[in-house]
Amino acid sequence: MSAPKILVLAGSARKDSVNKKLAANAADIARARGAQVTHIDLTDYEAPLYHGDDEAENGLPDSMKAMRKLLAEHDAMIVATPEYNGNIPPLLVNTFDWISRPDGEDRSNPFAGKLAILMAASPGGLGGVRVIPRLRAFLTDLGMMPLPGHASVPGAFQAFDADGRLTNDRSRGQIEGLVDTLIKFLDRA
Ligand SMILES: Cc1cc2nc3c(=O)[nH]c(=O)nc-3n(C[C@H](O)[C@H](O)[C@H](O)COP(=O)(O)O)c2cc1C
C-alpha cells in the first residue's frame, strides 16, 4: 500500500508564526509515521481578496490554481490556525474560498471526501480553541471530513524551543494521537 499523502499548512503568513511552527511539528510527526507529507507556506500562495468580478474577468489566480491542484492530489490536510476574534483568519477563508471555485472547465471539488486534522496555537491561555468548531463547520461544508478532536497550544510564545520543536508534551500528545488516527483511517480507505 502506498504512503498516505498529507498536505500540511498554517493559517498565518507571519514570519514568526506560532502556527507555522505547530504545522512544522505536525508535519514531522506525520512523516515519522510513514506519511508522504507536503508542507506548504501560504506565503507562497498569495491571492487577492476574493471578488466575483475579478473571478469573472480573470478566472482563478495562478497561485490558487496551483493550490487547488495540490489539494486534489492529497488524501488529507492538516491545518494549524490562529483564531482572530474567535474566528477563522481571513487568509484561510480567502484561500479556501478561491479554491472552492471552478478552474475553467474543471468543476471538481478538491476538498471532497478528504480527511482533515485541526489544530490551533495562541499566546493566550485557551490555545485558540474557539476557532476549531468554526473551522470544522467550514471544512465540512466544503466537503471535507475533519476528524473528531483537535490539538491546541496555549501560551504558544513559550511553547517552542529555539529549533521550533514543540516542548508542550500535552499538545504533542494530542497531535500524535490525531495523526495516528488519521493514518489508521487512510490505511483502511
Ligand atoms: C485581529 C486579531 C484577532 C485576534 N484574536 C485572538 C483571539 O480571539 N484569541 C486568541 O487567542 N488570540 C487572538 N489574537 C492573537 C493571535 O493569537 C496572535 O497574534 C498569534 O500570534 C497569531 O498566530 P500566528 O503567530 O500563527 O500568526 C488575535 C490577533 C489578531 C491580529
Side-chain angles (χ1 to χ4, degrees), residues 12 14 16-20 82-86 121-124 128 130 157:
S12 171
R14 220 165 59 79
D16 294 325
S17 161
V18 287
N19 285 283
K20 283 188 184 176
E83 65 175 18
Y84 282 1
N85 298 312
S122 161
R130 290 183 303 164
F157 287 166

Side-chain angles (χ1 to χ4, degrees), residues 4 27-35 172 175-177 179-180 183 187:
D28 286 346
I29 289 168
R31 261 187 221 107
R33 277 148 173 81
R172 173 166 285 280
I175 302 170
E176 288 171 347
V179 171
D180 285 344
I183 288 176
D187 279 347

Side-chain angles (χ1 to χ4, degrees), residues 78-172:
I78 297 179
V79 186
T81 184
E83 65 175 18
Y84 282 1
N85 298 312
N87 225 321
I88 308 166
L91 175 65
L92 275 190
V93 175
N94 193 52
T95 302
F96 292 165
D97 279 350
W98 268 119
I99 65 174
S100 73
R101 303 296 298 158
D103 178 10
E105 296 296 298
D106 177 7
R107 307 190 69 82
S108 62
N109 175 1
F111 297 95
K114 316 248 181 219
L115 299 179
I117 290 179
L118 312 185
M119 47 193 74
S122 161
L126 296 179
V129 288
R130 290 183 303 164
V131 73
I132 297 290
R134 289 168 175 187
L135 182 58
R136 184 183 306 286
F138 183 32
L139 293 180
T140 303
D141 283 342
L142 287 167
M144 292 195 101
M145 298 185 290
L147 291 187
H150 65 269
S152 65
V153 184
F157 287 166
Q158 287 80 41
F160 298 91
D161 68 17
D163 297 322
R165 193 183 144 81
L166 183 61
T167 55
N168 178 329
D169 288 340
R170 185 172 159 276
S171 303
R172 173 166 285 280

